[in-house]
Amino acid sequence: MDLSIVVPIYNEEDNIPILHERISDALIDTGLEYELILVDDGSSDNSYPALKRLSSKDDRVKVIRLRRNFGQTAAMAAGFDSASGRVVVPMDGDLQNDPLDIPLLLQRIDEGYDVVSGWRKDRKDTFVNRKLPSILANSIISKMTGVHLHDYGCTLKAYRREVLDDVNLYGEMHRFVPALAHQVGARVTEMPVRHHERLHGKSKYGISRTMKVILDLMTVKFLLSYSTKPIQLFGRWGIYTLCAGFLSGAVTVYMKFFENTSMNRNPLLILTAFLLFMGVQFIVLGLLAELSARTYYEAQGKPIYNIKEKINFA
C-alpha cells in the first residue's frame, strides 16, 4: 500500500460524500494504491450511516467507529494504528483541507523528508478567535520544541509509516507529532497548502482549546528534553531552591546577631523553612521520576535511542 489517508469524522454527514469525491479526483491519475480510513469519533448525526454507504460502494474506504467521542487525537491514533500505507496522511473532514495537496506532500516525502507539515498560509478563518491564538501558539511551540513551523495546527501532513511507529498520542498531542518525530531523528519540513472556508456543519475548534494546547506543550517539552533524565530538571530546581533557602537562613541569622531582629518574628525564617522543604521535595520528585522512567523503558524493552539504518549486520 502506497498511501493511507486518515480522516477523523465528527458530525460531518453533509461533508462526507464531497470529501470522498474530492480525494478520489485528486488521486485518480497518480497511480497510487491507497486506502481512505474514516474514523467516526462518536458522531451524533447520520455520519456513520453515510460512512457505511460509502464503504459499500468503494472498497478503498475503510471505516472505524469509536464507541463514543474520544477527541481528534484519539480518533487519529485509531486511524494510524490501522493504516498500512508506506506514507500516512491525516486531514480534516470539514473540507477545509484540499486533497489536491496530497500529491505535493508525497513529492516532498520522495525528496527524502520523513515528515511534511502543511502550512495554511492563506487561512480562511476569523482573525481574533482562530488566527491570532494560532500565531501566538505556533511561535511559542516552535521556540520550546526547537522545531520551527508556521502552522502546527494544520491537520494535513504526511508521515513515513515508520516515524509514527515511535510516537504515542495522548491528550491533544496530534499537533506535536512533527516535534516528537524530530526527537527520534526524523527530517521535518513544511510547505504551504490550500485552505477553504467551511461549507457545511459547525467548527469544533475554538479559543477554549488554548489551555489544553498549553498543558500538552508542557508535556511535550518535558518529553523532548527530560524524559530519560528527569533528575536533571527536578534536581536542578531542587538545588536552586536549597541554595535560596540557605541564603535566606543566613540572612535570618545575620539579622538576629547583628541587627537584634527576633527570629520568631522574622518572616525570612518561614521562607527559609519553606525553601528548604521545597528543595528536598524537588530532589525526591526527580529521583521518583528517574525510577518511573526506568520502569517505563525497561518493562517494555523500549530503547532510549532510535536507529534509522543498519549496514552489514546479520
Side-chain angles (χ1 to χ4, degrees):
M1 185 73 67
D2 298 310
L3 172 66
S4 295
I5 303 170
V6 176
V7 186
I9 299 291
Y10 181 64
N11 293 343
E12 302 285 2
E13 58 176 304
D14 294 326
N15 293 326
I16 290 170
I18 305 173
L19 176 68
H20 174 257
E21 182 180 359
R22 290 184 180 180
I23 291 175
S24 299
D25 291 343
L27 299 178
I28 191 170
D29 295 326
T30 62
L32 294 171
E33 182 184 358
Y34 73 91
E35 61 183 358
L36 174 58
I37 302 176
L38 302 171
V39 184
D40 179 20
D41 186 24
S43 297
S44 57
D45 62 356
N46 291 317
S47 292
Y48 182 64
L51 294 175
K52 286 186 67 177
R53 289 193 298 270
L54 201 59
S55 63
S56 65
K57 297 176 183 177
D58 187 350
D59 58 7
R60 290 174 298 190
V61 175
K62 300 177 181 180
V63 178
I64 299 173
R65 188 183 191 186
L66 303 185
R67 291 186 178 274
R68 63 171 177 84
N69 178 238
F70 286 92
Q72 186 180 16
T73 298
M76 204 174 289
F80 289 168
D81 291 342
S82 301
S84 56
R86 177 180 61 89
V87 177
V88 180
V89 174
M91 62 185 298
D92 286 327
D94 56 11
L95 304 180
Q96 291 193 273
N97 295 142
D98 196 325
L100 289 173
D101 287 315
I102 295 176
L104 302 178
L105 293 171
L106 297 180
Q107 286 179 14
R108 301 304 300 275
I109 290 288
D110 290 337
E111 291 174 9
Y113 291 101
D114 301 301
V115 179
V116 183
S117 182
W119 171 20
R120 297 166 293 182
K121 196 171 184 178
D122 183 21
R123 188 172 177 179
K124 307 298 183 181
D125 284 320
T126 56
F127 181 78
V128 174
N129 66 336
R130 298 295 296 278
K131 288 185 181 179
L132 181 58
S134 178
I135 292 171
L136 296 174
N138 286 311
S139 176
I140 294 171
I141 294 170
S142 294
K143 187 172 183 179
M144 291 190 68
T145 62
V147 181
H148 297 279
L149 300 177
H150 291 89
D151 193 0
Y152 270 89
C154 180
T155 303
L156 184 60
K157 295 178 172 69
Y159 304 102
R160 290 187 188 273
R161 168 75 262 177
E162 59 268 23
V163 169
L164 293 176
D165 290 338
D166 295 314
V167 176
N168 295 318
L169 298 181
Y170 304 96
E172 298 283 329
M173 286 194 182
H174 65 276
R175 69 186 70 248
F176 300 115
V177 172
L180 295 172
H182 183 264
Q183 180 190 25
V184 295
R187 292 187 63 199
V188 180
T189 190
E190 185 178 44
M191 61 168 279
V193 295
R194 302 171 181 88
H195 192 245
H196 303 293
E197 294 183 2
R198 174 181 273 274
L199 296 178
H200 306 288
K202 297 180 179 179
S203 175
K204 287 79 179 177
Y205 312 121
I207 199 167
S208 61
R209 303 188 81 187
T210 304
M211 185 60 69
K212 296 179 182 178
V213 174
I214 291 173
L215 294 174
D216 278 331
L217 177 58
M218 293 180 186
T219 304
V220 169
K221 177 60 178 177
F222 178 78
L223 292 174
L224 292 177
S225 302
Y226 302 106
S227 62
T228 60
K229 47 184 179 181
I231 190 65
Q232 297 294 326
L233 173 65
F234 297 110
R236 179 184 304 150
W237 281 105
I239 292 173
Y240 291 159
T241 308
L242 285 174
C243 290
F246 285 124
L247 179 61
S248 176
V251 172
T252 303
V253 174
Y254 175 85
M255 293 174 69
K256 165 67 175 177
F257 290 103
F258 294 96
E259 297 182 0
N260 292 322
T261 302
S262 175
M263 293 182 69
N264 62 356
R265 293 186 179 182
N266 192 337
L268 285 180
L269 182 62
I270 299 176
L271 179 62
T272 299
F274 175 76
L275 290 174
L276 293 176
F277 176 76
M278 288 303 300
V280 173
Q281 289 286 87
F282 272 126
I283 293 174
V284 171
L285 185 60
L287 294 173
L288 292 175
E290 285 283 333
L291 291 175
S292 297
R294 281 155 175 70
T295 301
Y296 172 75
Y297 285 102
E298 293 174 9
Q300 302 179 73
K302 194 178 182 72
I304 59 173
Y305 54 84
N306 182 273
I307 297 174
K308 183 176 182 178
E309 185 179 5
K310 283 186 173 183
I311 299 176
N312 288 340
F313 278 83

